[in-house]
Amino acid sequence: MIGRNDPCWCGSGKKYKKCHLIQDQATSAALPPRQPRRPSLKDKKLIKSPHDIEGMERAGVFNGELLDYIRPLIKAGISTGEIDTLVHDYTVSHGHTPACLGYLGYPKSVCTSINNVVCHGIPSSKEVLREGDIVNVDLTSIVDGYYGDSSETFMIGAVSEEARHLVMVTAEAMIRGIDAVRPGVPLAAIAEAIEPFVVSKGCSVVHQYTGHGIGKKFHEHFTVYHHIDRDCEPVILTPGMTLTIEPMINRGGWDVVTDQVDGWTVRTRDGSLSAQFEHTVLVTEGAAKVLTLTPSQKASGVRLSVDGISFG
C-alpha cells in the first residue's frame, strides 16, 4: 500500500498525506469490506478446458512470433502505417486474423501509440517514428478461433532519461503483476503488486483502461485492474483462467482523454509520456504461465528484454 510520505497516486507530485490520504480514508470508511470469493457456478465458463488451453497456447505462440518478426523493423524512419501493413500481411499470410481490424469499428490491424498516446493510436502513413520517440505496438491475433494479445513499448534510438525511466518502470510493473498471479489469491493482488511500485518510482497507473479475461472472445468476463480499487470484482484466481496483464503507466498524472475526432486515440490529459507492456497469461497450479512469450524470449529464458535488460 502507499505510505503517508510516498508520492500521491494521482501524480500531483505531492506527498500522499498532503494530497489524497484524507479523501481515500473517508471513502474507505464508507465502503463495506468486500471478501474474495471462490468462482460460483456462473463463473465456470471462466475456467478453460484442456482443449481451450491448447488453443490459447497456439494463439499466444503466434502472437509472440509476430512480435519477434516486427521488432527489428521498428526504428526511426518507418511510419506507423507501414508497421500496420507488415503486421497485417504477416498475420494473414500465416492463415490467421488480425483481431483489431474492424473490432467495434477500429480501422487498422494494430495499435501504435507514440509518446503521450496511452493506447489505441491509429496507424498512419503520415506518422513517422523519429529518434527519441517511444512507441507501444499492441498486437492481437485470432488463431483457430482463440485470441492471443500482447504489446511492447519500443525506444527509438537515443531517448531521454525520463522516457527510459518510464519504459523500464512499466516493464517491471507488468512482470510484478504476472508474479502476483497464483491460484487461490484475489484478482486484486495484481493491482496491489503494480501500483505501489509504480508510484514509488514517480509514475502513475492509468485507471480508465485495464486488462481482461480472454479466450474465444477478445474481452471476456472479468476486468483486470492495475490500480488499487475497492470495487474490483472479488474473484479468486483459479487454474484454467486466462487473462491479460497490460499496465499503462504515465510519467505524470493517471488521467486520460480520448480524441474527439477519431474516437479512438487516448492521450494523457497532462501531455506526459505513457508506456505499456502486455502478456496473456494462464493461471496454473503454480506460477502463472505466460502464453505470449516470443521465440527469442523462450530461447533466452526470460519473459521480457528491454534495452539489454532482462525481466524475469
Side-chain angles (χ1 to χ4, degrees):
M1 298 299 290
I2 303 174
R4 291 172 56 85
N5 292 311
D6 290 336
C8 186
W9 54 260
C10 72
S12 65
K14 299 179 182 178
K15 291 183 178 180
Y16 184 45
K17 66 184 179 182
K18 292 185 177 295
C19 196
H20 275 84
L21 174 61
I22 294 175
Q23 177 181 320
D24 288 352
Q25 287 175 334
T27 301
S28 178
L31 290 172
R34 301 186 68 180
Q35 298 299 320
R37 61 178 174 82
R38 292 285 175 183
S40 62
L41 289 176
K42 71 176 183 178
D43 294 318
K44 290 295 185 181
K45 61 185 178 182
L46 304 181
I47 311 302
K48 302 295 189 293
S49 69
H51 175 77
D52 289 333
I53 291 172
E54 289 179 3
M56 291 295 294
E57 289 177 331
R58 289 195 301 273
V61 165
F62 175 75
N63 224 57
E65 291 172 350
L66 180 56
L67 261 174
D68 262 2
Y69 161 71
I70 199 69
R71 184 181 292 105
L73 305 175
I74 300 174
K75 53 189 176 182
I78 193 172
S79 73
T80 55
E82 290 176 280
I83 294 172
D84 180 71
T85 298
L86 289 165
V87 168
H88 180 276
D89 291 351
Y90 186 94
T91 303
V92 172
S93 69
H94 284 76
H96 307 313
T97 303
C100 291
L101 185 60
Y103 180 74
L104 299 178
Y106 185 76
K108 298 292 183 176
S109 296
V110 65
C111 296
T112 50
S113 303
I114 302 175
N115 295 332
N116 70 326
V117 177
V118 177
C119 60
H120 304 161
I122 301 175
S124 169
S125 61
K126 298 179 180 179
E127 189 176 59
V128 178
L129 296 182
R130 294 177 172 81
E131 184 94 1
D133 284 339
I134 60 172
V135 58
N136 177 264
V137 178
D138 194 347
L139 308 169
T140 310
S141 309
I142 307 173
V143 177
D144 300 328
Y146 294 91
Y147 286 74
D149 193 1
S150 56
S151 81
E152 291 186 15
T153 294
F154 299 89
M155 293 182 284
I156 309 302
V159 303
S160 67
E161 282 302 314
E162 178 183 37
R164 188 177 187 278
H165 173 75
L166 172 67
V167 171
M168 292 303 172
V169 168
T170 306
E172 186 166 346
M174 182 194 67
I175 294 300
R176 286 176 178 244
I178 293 171
D179 287 342
V181 174
R182 291 287 190 279
V185 306
L187 184 63
I190 295 170
E192 291 167 356
I194 290 175
E195 187 172 43
F197 165 72
V198 170
V199 170
S200 75
K201 298 298 181 180
C203 301
S204 63
V205 182
V206 171
H207 291 194
Q208 295 93 329
Y209 293 90
T210 65
H212 49 88
I214 189 170
K216 288 185 176 180
K217 294 181 180 179
F218 199 158
H219 297 86
E220 292 188 344
H221 177 61
F222 63 82
T223 298
V224 180
Y225 288 92
H226 305 112
H227 68 283
I228 297 171
D229 189 324
R230 287 290 299 274
D231 290 327
C232 174
E233 186 169 9
V235 171
I236 290 290
L237 293 173
T238 304
M241 290 179 173
T242 49
L243 57 143
T244 69
I245 296 178
E246 49 181 303
M248 301 174 199
I249 308 302
N250 296 346
R251 189 64 181 94
W254 57 261
D255 203 10
V256 303
V257 292
T258 301
D259 192 293
Q260 295 301 300
V261 176
D262 66 38
W264 282 101
T265 306
V266 178
R267 298 181 177 87
T268 56
R269 183 175 291 278
D270 59 13
S272 62
L273 294 172
S274 186
Q276 179 190 17
F277 286 89
E278 175 184 14
H279 269 314
T280 298
V281 303
L282 166 71
V283 184
T284 73
E285 294 290 349
K289 181 177 183 179
V290 180
L291 301 181
T292 43
L293 288 177
T294 71
S296 62
Q297 287 165 353
K298 288 182 178 179
S300 63
V302 302
R303 291 170 293 182
L304 189 65
S305 295
V306 184
D307 198 30
I309 296 177
S310 296
F311 295 85

